[in-house]
C-alpha cells in the first residue's frame, strides 16, 4: 500500500500532530478513552482522531472503535472536519461527526484551545450478535467533553449561577459562592467563552455497514429493502420485507427504479457522454490486460485503446455494452438494448441527487468493480481490499491513473461522473431515461431526442 500512500491516495488529508502540547493532550485523551498509551513523539490523525501510526504501534487499527459500533473520537482542532475518516464501519459516521463539529465549531475552538475533546458516537445498539440486530439501530447520539470534564463542569456552574441569581439569600451563601469560584477556575469566563456543546442526535434509517460482510439498509424510501454483499440466506430472517443480494440484479434495478434513486449517465448524444463511457471501458481493458501482465505504471490511454484492439473478442460483456452506447452517442448507431441482466447495466447508472445519493453510488460501485475510479471514489474500503489482491504491475497502473486523472481535478471528475451539485433552484421534472424499449418499437433516427421517448424501467415494470 506504500504506493498509494506516496501518491496521496491513502491516508491523504490527515492532520499532523507534532506539537509537544498537542501530543500530550492526545495522550491524555487516549488514556481517558481507552486506557492505552502511545510513546510516539508525532503522528497523523483522521477526522475522529484515529492515527494509523498509533494503530500500527498498538497492533490495533480499531483502538478507537473496538466493537465496531460506537466510534470514539479525539478532537485536537476543528480542522479535523476536513480530514477523511479511516476504517469506517458505518457509512454515516463521517457525516455525523462532521455535522457535530460544524454545529459546535465556536465552542470546540474554545475548548480545544486548552484541552482535547473526547467523545463517542453512541448507537442505539452497542453490539450485534446477529444481522437482525442491525435493524434495531435507529439513531446515533454524539456525546463529548474534554478530558477534564469542562463541559459537565460548565453545566454545573451554569446551574449554580442561576441559583445565585434567583435565590433571595444566595448573596450570603459562602458555600455556593466558593463552589462557583472553584468551578470558574476550570471553565473560565462562560460569558466570553461558551463551553456548552449542543446535544445532537441523528436518525439512522439508511446506511451501509461492514458488519456481516457488508449490508446496505434503506428504510426511509417508499419501498424499503436490505441489500447484502454475501448470500442473503446466510444472514437468516431479517425484519424487512425485501432482502436482496448482489446477484439479484433485476431485484436491485427494480428497487432503484421504484424508489427513484438512480438515473442514466447517458442523457443524450455528445462527446462528454462518450468520454465518460470510454474511460469506464479503458478500466475494463486494464483488468483484462493486467491479468496477463500487459499494463504498467507507464500505460497510457492510447496504449489501452491499442490493447482493446489486441484483445478484441476476449473482452467481457461489460465492455461490449458500453462500446455499443459509445457508438450510439458518437456515430448514431442503433440504440442498444441494455437490460438489468446485462453485465454493463449498472455501469450506465449513477445516483439521483437525493439524500441517499452517496449511499446509492457506493452500492453501484460495488456492483461495478471493474470501474476502479468509481470504486475508489465511492467505496474506498472495498477498493483497498481489492487492491491488495492485484498484481504489482496493475497496482502501479491504477495508482498512477488515479493520481494523474482524479487527484488533480476531483471536483471536475465527480461532476462528470455524478452530475453537478444540487442547487437551490426548484427541482426540475424528472427526465425519462434511455434503457427500456420505446413506446412504439422503432429505430431511433438521428436528431431524435431518444431520452424523452424511452424510459429506463419500462421492461422492469412490465416484468
Amino acid at each position: 500500500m506504500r504506493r498509494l500512500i506516496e501518491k496521496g491516495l491513502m491516508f491523504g488529508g490527515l492532520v499532523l500532530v507534532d506539537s509537544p502540547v498537542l501530543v500530550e493532550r492526545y495522550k491524555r485523551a487516549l488514556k481517558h478513552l481507552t486506557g492505552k498509551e502511545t510513546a510516539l513523539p508525532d503522528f497523523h490523525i483522521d477526522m475522529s482522531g484515529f492515527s494509523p501510526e498509533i494503530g500500527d504501534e498498538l497492533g490495533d487499527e480499531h483502538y478507537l472503535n473496538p466493537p465496531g459500533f460506537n466510534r470514539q473520537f479525539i478532537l485536537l482542532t476543528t480542522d479535523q472536519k476536513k480530514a477523511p475518516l479511516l476504517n469506517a464501519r458505518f457509512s454515516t459516521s463521517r457525516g455525523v461527526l462532521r455535522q457535530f463539529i460544524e454545529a459546535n465549531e465556536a465552542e470546540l475552538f474554545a475548548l480545544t484551545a486548552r484541552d482535547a475533546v473526547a467523545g463517542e458516537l453512541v448507537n442505539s445498539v452497542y453490539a450485534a450478535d446477529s444481522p437482525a440486530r442491525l435493524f434495531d439501530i435507529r439513531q446515533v447520539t454524539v456525546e463529548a467533553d474534554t478530558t477534564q470534564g469542562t463541559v459537565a463542569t460548565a453545566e454545573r456552574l451554569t446551574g449554580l449561577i442561576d441559583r445565585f441569581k434567583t435565590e433571595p439569600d444566595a448573596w450570603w451563601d459562602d458555600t455556593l459562592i466558593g463552589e462557583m469560584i472553584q468551578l470558574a477556575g476550570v471553565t473560565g469566563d462562560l460569558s466570553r467563552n461558551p463551553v456548552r456543546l449542543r446535544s445532537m442526535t441523528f436518525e439512522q434509517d439508511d446506511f451501509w455497514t461492514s458488519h456481516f460482510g457488508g449490508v446496505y439498509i434503506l428504510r426511509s424510501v417508499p419501498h424499503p429493502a436490505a441489500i447484502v454483499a454475501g448470500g442473503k440466506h446466510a444472514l437468516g430472517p431479517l425484519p424487512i420485507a425485501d432482502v436482496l443480494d448482489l446477484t439479484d440484479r433485476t431485484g436491485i434495478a427494480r428497487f432503484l427504479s421504484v424508489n427513484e434513486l438512480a438515473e442514466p449517465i447517458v442523457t443524450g448524444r455528445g462527446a462528454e457522454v462518450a468520454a465518460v463511457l470510454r474511460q469506464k471501458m479503458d478500466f475494463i481493458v486494464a483488468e483484462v490486460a493486467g491479468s496477463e501482465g500487459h499494463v504498467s505504471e507507464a500505460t497510457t490511454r492510447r496504449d489501452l485503446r491499442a490493447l482493446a484492439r489486441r484483445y478484441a473478442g476476449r473482452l467481457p460483456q461489460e465492455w461490449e455494452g458500453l462500446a455499443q452506447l459509445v457508438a450510439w452517442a458518437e456515430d448514431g448507431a442503433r440504440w442498444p438494448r441494455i437490460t438489468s441482466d446485462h453485465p454493463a447495466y449498472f455501469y450506465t447508472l449513477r445516483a439521483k441527487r437525493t439524500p441517499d445519493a452517496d449511499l446509492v453510488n457506493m452500492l453501484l460501485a460495488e456492483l461495478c468493480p471493474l470501474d476502479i475510479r468509481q470504486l475508489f471514489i465511492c467505496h474506498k474500503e472495498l477498493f483497498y481490499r481489492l487492491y491488495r489482491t492485484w498484481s504489482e504491475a496493475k497496482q502501479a497502473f491504477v495508482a498512477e491513473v488515479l493520481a494523474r486523472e482524479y487527484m488533480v481535478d476531483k471536483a471536475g471528475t465527480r461532476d462528470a461522473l455524478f452530475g453537478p451539485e444540487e442547487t437551490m433552484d426548484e427541482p426540475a421534472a424528472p427526465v425519462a431515461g434511455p434503457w427500456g424499449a420505446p413506446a412504439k418499437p422503432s429505430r431511433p433516427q438521428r436528431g431524435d431526442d431518444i431520452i424523452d421517448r424511452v424510459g429506463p424501467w419500462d421492461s422492469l415494470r412490465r416484468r
Side-chain angles (χ1 to χ4, degrees):
M1 312 298 281
R2 181 180 298 276
R3 186 179 285 108
L4 294 179
I5 297 173
E6 291 173 347
K7 292 183 178 294
L9 298 168
M10 188 176 188
F11 302 150
L14 298 182
V15 177
L16 174 63
V17 181
D18 57 357
S19 161
V21 173
L22 293 182
V23 170
E24 183 57 36
R25 289 178 186 173
Y26 186 93
K27 290 180 177 181
R28 188 165 60 246
L30 180 63
K31 181 74 172 178
H32 172 75
L33 278 180
T34 69
K36 299 179 179 180
E37 299 180 355
T38 177
L40 297 181
D42 56 75
F43 44 85
H44 296 79
I45 58 175
D46 72 353
M47 176 183 283
S48 72
F50 165 76
S51 168
E53 295 103 321
I54 294 177
D56 186 61
E57 177 195 23
L58 300 175
D60 180 10
E61 64 178 11
H62 298 294
Y63 69 88
L64 284 183
N65 193 24
F69 267 79
N70 298 324
R71 180 131 187 175
Q72 297 171 310
F73 59 87
I74 298 172
L75 298 179
L76 298 178
T77 168
T78 54
D79 287 341
Q80 287 174 235
K81 70 178 183 179
K82 304 174 185 177
L85 182 66
L86 306 179
N87 301 326
R89 306 297 298 274
F90 286 86
S91 61
T92 53
S93 296
R94 186 175 190 275
V96 166
L97 192 51
R98 181 176 183 125
Q99 289 180 67
F100 170 76
I101 295 174
E102 290 179 341
N104 294 280
E105 192 152 6
E107 293 83 356
L108 289 171
F109 183 84
L111 289 170
T112 54
R114 303 177 61 183
D115 195 4
V117 173
E120 188 173 1
L121 306 183
V122 182
N123 277 311
S124 47
V125 172
Y126 288 88
D129 50 7
S130 70
R133 288 282 286 159
L134 293 173
F135 293 82
D136 293 335
I137 299 175
R138 291 291 179 177
Q139 59 185 24
V140 60
T141 301
V142 184
E143 297 180 354
D145 202 345
T146 67
T147 57
Q148 298 178 347
T150 306
V151 175
T153 302
E155 290 181 358
R156 176 163 176 74
L157 178 56
T158 301
L160 295 180
I161 292 173
D162 290 341
R163 280 182 54 194
F164 183 78
K165 291 179 177 179
T166 56
E167 293 182 3
D169 299 329
W171 287 93
W172 294 274
D173 190 335
D174 293 337
T175 302
L176 174 61
I177 294 173
E179 187 175 2
M180 289 169 58
I181 294 173
Q182 180 184 5
L183 296 180
V186 176
T187 65
D189 187 350
L190 294 181
S191 63
R192 294 186 178 184
N193 300 305
V195 293
R196 176 176 293 177
L197 297 174
R198 293 178 180 86
S199 177
M200 302 186 72
T201 298
F202 299 84
E203 297 299 321
Q204 299 290 282
D205 288 328
D206 307 326
F207 60 87
W208 166 87
T209 176
S210 64
H211 292 281
F212 305 103
V215 182
Y216 297 83
I217 297 176
L218 293 102
R219 295 177 291 195
S220 68
V221 295
H223 303 277
I227 301 173
V228 302
K232 60 184 178 182
H233 299 296
L235 299 185
L238 298 179
I240 195 167
D242 291 328
V243 180
L244 309 167
D245 59 41
L246 298 184
T247 63
D248 190 354
R249 298 175 61 84
T250 299
I252 294 175
R254 184 181 296 112
F255 167 78
L256 296 174
S257 168
V258 298
N259 291 299
E260 299 184 353
L261 294 174
E263 65 184 9
I265 294 175
V266 178
T267 55
R269 291 191 174 101
E272 292 184 2
V273 170
V276 171
L277 297 176
R278 283 191 179 280
Q279 288 169 345
K280 291 176 179 287
M281 293 165 62
D282 287 344
F283 293 134
I284 296 173
V285 173
E287 168 67 19
V288 176
S291 64
E292 300 191 12
H294 291 153
V295 296
S296 68
E297 189 172 5
T299 301
T300 64
R301 292 284 185 184
R302 184 175 182 179
D303 296 332
L304 289 174
R305 305 291 159 80
L307 287 170
R309 293 189 292 272
R310 176 177 179 177
Y311 287 99
R314 297 171 57 186
L315 295 171
Q317 290 184 337
E318 290 92 336
W319 189 91
E320 297 290 348
L322 294 176
Q324 292 173 21
L325 277 174
V326 169
W328 174 82
E330 288 187 334
D331 304 323
R334 178 186 292 274
W335 176 256
R337 179 174 177 79
I338 300 178
T339 57
S340 61
D341 55 357
H342 194 291
Y345 180 77
F346 291 110
Y347 286 83
T348 67
L349 299 182
R350 67 186 179 194
K352 285 188 175 182
R353 284 294 171 185
T354 69
D356 291 317
D358 289 343
L359 187 61
V360 172
N361 278 326
M362 187 178 188
L363 171 62
L364 291 173
E366 190 158 3
L367 289 163
C368 307
L370 299 182
D371 186 348
I372 51 100
R373 181 176 54 185
Q374 180 163 340
L375 196 64
F376 175 78
I377 296 172
C378 301
H379 202 331
K380 283 187 173 59
E381 297 296 321
L382 180 57
F383 173 86
Y384 293 140
R385 189 165 73 243
L386 294 177
Y387 181 90
R388 292 183 175 93
T389 68
W390 297 337
S391 67
E392 184 175 352
K394 183 179 177 181
Q395 289 178 350
F397 164 76
V398 170
E400 176 61 23
V401 167
L402 291 175
R404 185 177 65 241
E405 299 185 9
Y406 173 63
M407 298 300 288
V408 297
D409 186 15
K410 293 182 180 180
T413 301
R414 295 180 70 90
D415 183 79
L417 291 176
F418 310 122
E421 293 293 330
E422 192 173 25
T423 66
M424 297 301 293
D425 299 331
E426 289 295 322
V431 179
W435 311 134
K440 294 181 180 180
S442 60
R443 178 178 176 177
Q445 302 297 316
R446 289 180 183 269
D448 286 355
D449 191 355
I450 191 171
I451 307 305
D452 288 338
R453 299 195 295 108
V454 181
W457 317 116
D458 291 346
S459 60
L460 291 177
R461 287 176 175 144
R462 287 196 301 272
R463 191 176 303 177

